[in-house]
């Protein structure tokens, strides 16, 4: 795939996303002419770009799609739910044609277009007299004079736009009187030949509608300012087409142009692989800077000053680079509107998807890996959580269910919540199923929160039948594994009859984290600082409990602790004054006993080798300033394994006694 084709696919992906969002919004607010215009612009641009890059089938399909949708734009057919559903299928077919042209089924495309025509014709105001979509003859508008004022962004020539071609296209619409304004042209020695300094005023006398004039500029509307004003018209008995839509589209076009003014010069599209590579290089720089700082400790003051300056610059570069990787989570949330739309129709459950916090930023790698877990959570809410219409009526609820998808920052974490107002989790049923599956003993004493966590066991499902949406107990296992792989945690809250709320707690980034460097025996380890609550002296805190149980008494609270020396089989003698790092995850607090707390550490995370990738207690490794490698603890897994290790030790001691 060459660069031009890559550019087309990226642009097409954006346009298809814009089209889908516009269609979904249109279903909710069918009277919004700006949404119709937005969808039409996406189709028109896609058609032109497809033809330009050799995707003739895409261009031909979109042309027919656009022709049918033009009837919506001109008010001849309302954007009904049925029409939106078919239009979404057409959009899916366009995506298939672009991603895999050979596999795209032309027969499917023809069926979709036929269905689109049928829906448009059936919804026309005078169905019996309505002409076929493709041969529809629009009413001839009155001949009118239009005044146009427009100017281009400075870089429009660099971006490949030739204004002369636009002028030629305007002339095809009627009589054009064009004047250039050279007020902004600088002196000869200051002229940059790649910059367009001119602005233009034109009078166009034409019988074409306003939309035809706007279409001339549709490919450059983001790079220009455009005003269109009707100044004269002949008296005519003809009714101009769709004046309300056109009248509103003009200021919208001008507004959109203003919003995007300068955006082309202020942003640049960069391949994700290059950003990842940049982040890798910054990581290497941070490691090298740490080594330099360590060496500079015994060097002269001048060397120390240089080391400090490099440390400051490296920190700034790290922050900037990590900022580049941060992406608003709205780019992920938008995908689920279509999922909810389709599942709602399939399950016959009317649902409102309410989203908030779309501007919350998260590492792009993390956003990519969150796509599947959120799909499973939303499907579960729709299939299991929300009642059907009859069930909601019986429960005294509104017929339309609600799913809330939200994101927010909380310290060094991002919280992503999927909540519904359905029936809530059935604790008794989950417990009975867990007992039947042998996951827990029948007389096990467990809190509701602990029982909620059972739904994440592989193969666990309370569904009475297996459907294509759920029932095999796979989805929640995917959620758990993915979130743990991202060093996150899952919280569940549920109210019987009131709904459920699943909150994913995630670190901001996967590339560089703030860590607490500790020593256990002769080895050093990193504890993610986001998990650390406090550090105390083991002797000062004191040990509570009895019968070999290990607890700390911290301000009246008993906190279990884990001796990492024993767990990691350290051979060196223990330090006389051991420290306890109290960490928390979910609603648990655990103390980790270490020999020494070295201090905070900028931790560049490196993946473990394939040989060590399955070691559950560590989420990665980092390189320290002296070149040594320190493993990074995966706190939830470490505590689970540590508790099991402690139980085994106690069992052995009991047998020996």
């Amino acid at each position: 795939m060459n660069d031009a084709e890559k550019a087309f696919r990226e642009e097409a992906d954006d346009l298809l996303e814009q089209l889908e969002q516009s269609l979904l919004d249109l279903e909710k607010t069918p009277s919004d002419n700006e949404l119709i215009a937005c969808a039409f612009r996406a189709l028109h641009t896609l058609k032109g770009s497809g033809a330009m890059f050799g995707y003739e089938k895409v261009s031909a399909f979109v042309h027919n799609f656009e022709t049918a949708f033009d009837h919506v734009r001109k008010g001849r057919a309302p954007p009904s739910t049925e029409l939106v559903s078919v239009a979404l299928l057409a959009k899916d077919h366009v995506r298939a044609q672009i991603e895999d042209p050979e596999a795209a089924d032309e027969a499917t495309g023809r069926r979709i277009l036929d269905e689109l025509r049928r829906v448009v014709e059936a919804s026309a105001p005078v169905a019996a007299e309505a002409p076929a979509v493709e041969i529809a003859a629009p009413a001839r508008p009155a001949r009118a004079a239009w005044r146009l004022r427009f100017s281009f962004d400075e870089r429009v020539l660099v971006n490949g736009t030739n204004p002369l071609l636009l002028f030629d296209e305007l002339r095809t619409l009627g009589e054009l009187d064009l004047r250039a304004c050279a007020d902004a042209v600088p002196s000869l020695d200051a002229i940059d030949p790649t910059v367009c300094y001119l602005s233009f005023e034109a009078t166009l006398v034409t019988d074409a509608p306003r939309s035809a004039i706007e279409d001339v500029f549709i490919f450059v509307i983001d790079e220009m300012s455009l005003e269109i004003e009707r100044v004269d018209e002949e008296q005519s008995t003809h009714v101009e087409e769709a004046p309300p839509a056109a009248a509103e589209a003009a200021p919208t076009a001008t507004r959109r142009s203003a919003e995007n003014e300068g955006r082309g010069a202020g942003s640049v599209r960069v391949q994700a692989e290059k950003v990842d590579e940049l982040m890798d290089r910054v990581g290497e720089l941070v490691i090298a800077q740490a080594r330099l700082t360590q060496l500079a400790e015994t060097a002269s003051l001048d060397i120390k000053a240089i080391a400090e300056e490099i440390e400051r610059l490296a920190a700034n570069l790290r922050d900037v680079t990590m900022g580049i990787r941060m992406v608003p989570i709205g780019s992920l949330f938008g995908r689920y509107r279509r999922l909810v739309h389709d599942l709602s129709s399939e399950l016959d459950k009317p649902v409102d998807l309410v989203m908030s916090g779309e501007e919350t930023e998260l590492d792009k790698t993390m956003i990519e890996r969150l796509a599947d877990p959120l799909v499973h959570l939303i499907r579960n809410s729709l299939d299991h959580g929300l009642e059907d219409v009859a069930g909601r009526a019986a429960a005294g609820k509104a017929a339309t269910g609600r799913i809330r998808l939200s994101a927010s920052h909380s310290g060094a974490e991002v919280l992503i919540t999927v909540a519904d107002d359905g029936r809530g989790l059935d604790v008794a049923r989950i417990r009975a199923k867990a007992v039947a599956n042998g996951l827990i003993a029948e007389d096990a004493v467990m809190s509701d929160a602990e029982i909620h966590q059972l739904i994440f066991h592989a193969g666990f499902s309370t569904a009475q039948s297996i459907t294509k949406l759920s029932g095999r107990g796979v989805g929640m296992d995917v959620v758990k594994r993915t979130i743990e792989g991202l060093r996150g945690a899952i919280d569940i809250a549920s109210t019987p009859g009131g709904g459920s709320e699943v909150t994913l707690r995630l670190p901001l980034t996967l590339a560089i984290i703030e860590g607490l460097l500790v020593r256990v025996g002769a080895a050093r380890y990193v504890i993610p600082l986001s998990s650390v609550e406090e550090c105390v002296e083991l002797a000062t805190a004191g040990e509570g409990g009895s019968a070999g149980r290990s607890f700390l008494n911290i301000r009246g609270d008993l906190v279990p602790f884990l001796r990492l020396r024993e767990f990691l089989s350290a051979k060196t003698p223990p330090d006389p004054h051991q420290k306890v790092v109290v960490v928390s995850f979910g609603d648990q607090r655990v103390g980790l006993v270490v020999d020494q707390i070295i201090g905070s550490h900028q931790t560049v995370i490196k993946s473990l080798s394939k040989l060590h990738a399955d070691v559950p207690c560590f989420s990665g490794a980092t390189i320290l300033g002296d070149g040594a490698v320190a493993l990074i603890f995966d706190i939830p897994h470490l505590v689970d394994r540590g508790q099991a290790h402690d139980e085994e030790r106690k069992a052995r001691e009991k047998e020996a006694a």
Side-chain angles (χ1 to χ4, degrees):
M1 187 185 302
N2 56 40
D3 291 342
E5 193 171 356
K6 283 182 181 176
F8 166 68
R9 290 198 175 201
E10 289 173 357
E11 181 188 16
D13 196 53
D14 290 344
L15 291 169
L16 290 172
E17 179 66 22
Q18 175 186 334
L19 175 62
E20 181 173 288
Q21 297 304 320
S22 298
L23 291 171
L24 292 170
D25 286 336
L26 203 54
E27 188 176 28
K28 303 291 184 185
T29 54
S31 60
D32 192 333
N33 292 319
E34 169 55 16
L35 291 174
I36 297 173
C38 185
F40 197 81
R41 280 197 295 268
L43 285 171
H44 195 75
T45 307
L46 195 57
K47 180 179 72 173
S49 300
M52 186 186 307
F53 287 95
Y55 284 76
E56 298 297 340
K57 291 182 179 178
V58 172
S59 181
F61 183 86
V62 175
H63 172 71
N64 290 318
F65 186 179
E66 184 187 39
T67 301
F69 205 79
D70 193 37
H71 286 246
V72 178
R73 187 174 68 142
K74 293 175 179 175
R76 296 173 185 163
S80 62
T81 300
E82 186 181 16
L83 189 145
V84 168
S85 296
V86 181
L88 287 171
L89 291 177
K91 188 231 73 174
D92 292 343
H93 185 71
V94 174
R95 186 181 292 280
Q97 285 182 312
I98 294 173
E99 292 179 349
D100 192 353
E102 301 299 325
D105 186 3
E106 293 187 23
T108 301
R110 286 193 294 272
R111 284 197 297 272
I112 292 173
L113 289 177
D114 289 342
E115 181 65 10
L116 196 57
R117 292 190 191 96
R118 185 194 67 75
V119 173
V120 170
E121 292 171 2
S123 57
V126 187
E129 299 177 1
V133 170
E134 291 187 338
I135 59 174
R140 182 181 176 80
R143 190 173 180 79
W146 301 86
R147 179 177 296 126
L148 286 70
R149 297 187 183 88
F150 54 95
S151 60
F152 300 98
D153 288 351
E154 289 186 347
R155 295 183 60 79
V156 69
L157 300 177
V158 178
N159 293 339
T161 299
N162 184 351
L164 297 178
L165 298 179
L166 300 175
F167 304 154
D168 291 341
E169 194 170 348
L170 280 176
R171 290 190 181 93
T172 63
L173 298 178
E175 301 167 18
L176 179 69
D177 180 15
L178 181 68
R179 298 170 297 283
C181 178
D183 293 347
V185 177
S187 60
L188 185 61
D189 55 347
I191 286 181
D192 182 346
T194 65
V195 174
C196 179
Y197 296 104
L198 299 176
S199 58
F200 302 89
E201 288 188 10
T203 302
L204 177 65
V205 180
T206 177
D207 55 3
R210 183 187 197 121
S211 58
I213 302 173
E214 293 171 347
D215 285 350
V216 171
F217 300 99
I218 194 167
F219 289 105
V220 291
I221 193 64
D222 289 344
E223 298 177 301
M224 67 178 298
S225 173
L226 171 65
E227 295 180 19
I228 303 175
E229 179 185 4
R230 186 167 182 166
V231 294
D232 189 18
E233 63 182 279
E234 297 176 0
Q235 295 298 323
S236 172
T237 55
H238 293 296
V239 178
E240 189 178 351
E241 290 183 40
E248 294 183 15
T252 301
T254 304
R255 183 174 66 248
R256 184 163 182 245
S257 176
E259 288 173 354
N260 291 291
E261 190 173 357
R263 190 178 62 183
S267 64
V268 60
R269 188 190 293 269
V270 179
Q271 292 180 355
E273 294 79 6
K274 291 186 177 179
V275 177
D276 291 341
E277 187 177 349
L278 174 62
M279 193 68 236
D280 288 342
R281 295 292 179 269
V282 171
E284 298 296 333
L285 176 62
V286 170
I287 292 171
Q289 172 264 315
R291 298 185 65 181
L292 175 62
T293 301
Q294 188 166 345
L295 292 173
E297 289 177 357
T298 57
S300 66
L301 290 177
D302 290 341
I303 298 296
K304 284 183 179 178
I306 294 173
E308 290 174 357
E309 180 66 12
I310 292 177
E311 182 178 359
R312 184 183 64 80
L313 293 173
N316 289 342
L317 181 60
R318 177 205 64 201
D319 293 343
V320 170
T321 307
M322 289 176 67
I324 294 174
R325 287 173 59 97
M326 304 301 276
V327 178
I329 203 166
S331 61
L332 176 65
F333 281 6
R335 304 179 193 176
Y336 303 116
R337 299 183 62 200
R338 176 70 183 280
L339 175 70
V340 172
H341 172 273
D342 291 351
L343 290 181
S344 173
S345 301
E346 186 176 342
L347 298 172
D348 195 23
K349 292 181 179 178
V351 179
D352 273 343
L353 176 63
V354 180
M355 296 187 289
S356 61
E358 296 100 318
E359 70 284 355
T360 306
E361 292 187 332
L362 199 58
D363 189 282
K364 76 171 191 62
T365 304
M366 199 170 298
I367 282 185
E368 291 165 1
R369 293 173 64 179
L370 277 174
D372 284 345
L374 287 178
V375 165
H376 290 298
L377 289 175
I378 292 173
R379 286 162 63 113
N380 251 38
S381 286
L382 256 161
D383 198 19
H384 294 311
L386 294 178
E387 308 93 335
D388 56 20
V389 175
R392 293 184 67 84
K397 298 179 180 178
T400 301
R402 170 172 292 197
I403 292 179
R404 179 168 56 84
L405 190 56
S406 62
S408 62
H409 284 293
S410 176
E413 293 181 320
V414 169
L415 308 183
I416 300 174
T417 301
V418 179
D420 64 67
D421 64 347
R423 55 175 67 91
L425 294 177
D426 188 337
V427 174
R429 192 170 172 183
I430 295 172
R431 182 186 178 91
K433 190 73 175 181
V435 172
N437 289 354
L439 295 176
I440 59 174
E442 191 167 359
D443 57 349
V445 178
M446 300 178 71
S447 65
D448 286 355
E450 290 171 329
I451 293 175
H452 292 160
Q453 293 293 328
L454 293 173
I455 66 174
F456 293 108
H457 276 271
F460 186 89
S461 175
T462 58
Q464 295 178 340
S465 60
I466 296 175
T467 68
K468 65 179 182 179
L469 288 181
S470 59
R472 297 187 185 277
V474 176
M476 291 297 100
D477 183 43
V478 170
V479 173
K480 182 183 179 185
R481 288 176 181 275
T482 304
I483 299 305
E484 288 181 350
L486 295 171
R487 301 196 318 276
I490 306 172
D491 297 336
I492 300 180
S494 180
T495 305
S500 302
E501 182 174 297
V502 180
T503 300
L504 310 179
R505 309 174 67 90
L506 297 159
L508 280 173
T509 180
L510 296 175
I512 300 177
I513 62 169
E514 292 287 345
L516 183 66
L517 191 62
V518 300
R519 181 175 59 80
V520 180
R524 285 168 289 179
Y525 302 89
V526 174
I527 300 173
L529 205 55
S530 59
S531 301
V532 177
E533 282 198 350
E534 61 181 311
C535 301
V536 296
E537 289 273 359
L538 181 60
T540 303
E543 297 185 44
S546 60
R549 302 179 68 184
S550 300
F551 288 98
L552 296 171
N553 187 344
I554 299 181
R555 296 182 290 278
D557 292 333
L558 291 180
V559 178
F561 67 81
L562 175 65
R563 295 181 184 275
L564 292 183
R565 289 186 54 83
E566 296 176 6
F567 179 69
L568 298 170
S569 301
K571 303 299 184 187
T572 58
D575 282 21
H577 304 290
Q578 292 191 303
K579 310 294 187 297
V580 181
V581 181
V582 180
V583 298
S584 65
F585 57 100
D587 57 353
Q588 295 190 57
R589 298 175 72 205
V590 176
L592 303 177
V593 181
V594 301
D595 285 319
Q596 181 187 4
I597 296 173
I598 299 174
S600 62
H601 183 263
Q602 288 286 331
T603 305
V604 180
I605 301 175
K606 299 291 184 182
S607 300
L608 295 174
S609 67
K610 291 182 179 178
L611 184 64
H612 303 93
D614 294 333
V615 179
C617 297
F618 303 105
S619 58
T622 189
I623 301 173
L624 303 178
D626 59 1
V629 173
L631 293 170
I632 304 168
F633 283 128
D634 182 331
I635 298 300
H637 280 116
L638 173 68
V639 172
D640 285 346
R641 294 295 296 266
Q643 288 174 338
H645 175 82
D646 205 35
E647 294 296 329
E648 292 171 4
R649 179 182 60 80
K650 291 173 184 174
R652 288 195 302 269
E653 290 174 354
K654 190 174 181 179
E655 288 179 3

